[in-house]
Amino acid sequence: MKRLLIDAKGMRCPLPLLKLKQGLAQIDIGDEVEVRATDAGSWRDIPSFVSMTAHIMIDQSQQADEYLYRVKKGE
């Protein structure tokens, strides 16, 4: 399994979500994308997107003003 790290800190909505989508397109099924963002809108946007796809949200956490998401690529 591979993990792609995307640093979207400082990017405003919708860029963290777009970066996640681009990352998912680059990896194989079963691999993971980890996104680090500072935009509060990503807290709503990324889980909403994942819930409408075959991808799996492995982890979603917040530390101060940083948001972390780990998403496993589904079929």
Side-chain angles (χ1 to χ4, degrees):
M1 179 196 72
K2 293 184 229 169
R3 182 181 298 164
L4 175 65
L5 175 60
I6 296 175
D7 183 357
K9 293 182 279 189
M11 296 181 185
R12 303 295 300 163
C13 182
L15 286 176
L17 176 58
L18 292 175
K19 293 291 186 181
L20 170 63
K21 289 179 179 181
Q22 290 173 343
L24 288 166
Q26 295 175 21
I27 64 172
D28 296 325
I29 293 169
D31 289 344
E32 297 178 10
V33 175
E34 181 175 314
V35 179
R36 294 175 186 264
T38 50
D39 182 57
S42 69
W43 192 254
R44 174 195 64 244
D45 295 344
I46 290 178
S48 178
F49 163 74
V50 172
S51 72
M52 295 186 292
T53 67
H55 308 307
I56 300 164
M57 180 70 74
I58 295 172
D59 187 38
Q60 176 183 359
S61 60
Q62 178 183 0
Q63 293 181 347
D65 63 346
E66 187 174 323
Y67 305 91
L68 171 68
Y69 310 92
R70 282 183 42 222
V71 179
K72 183 175 182 177
K73 183 171 181 170
E75 294 190 25

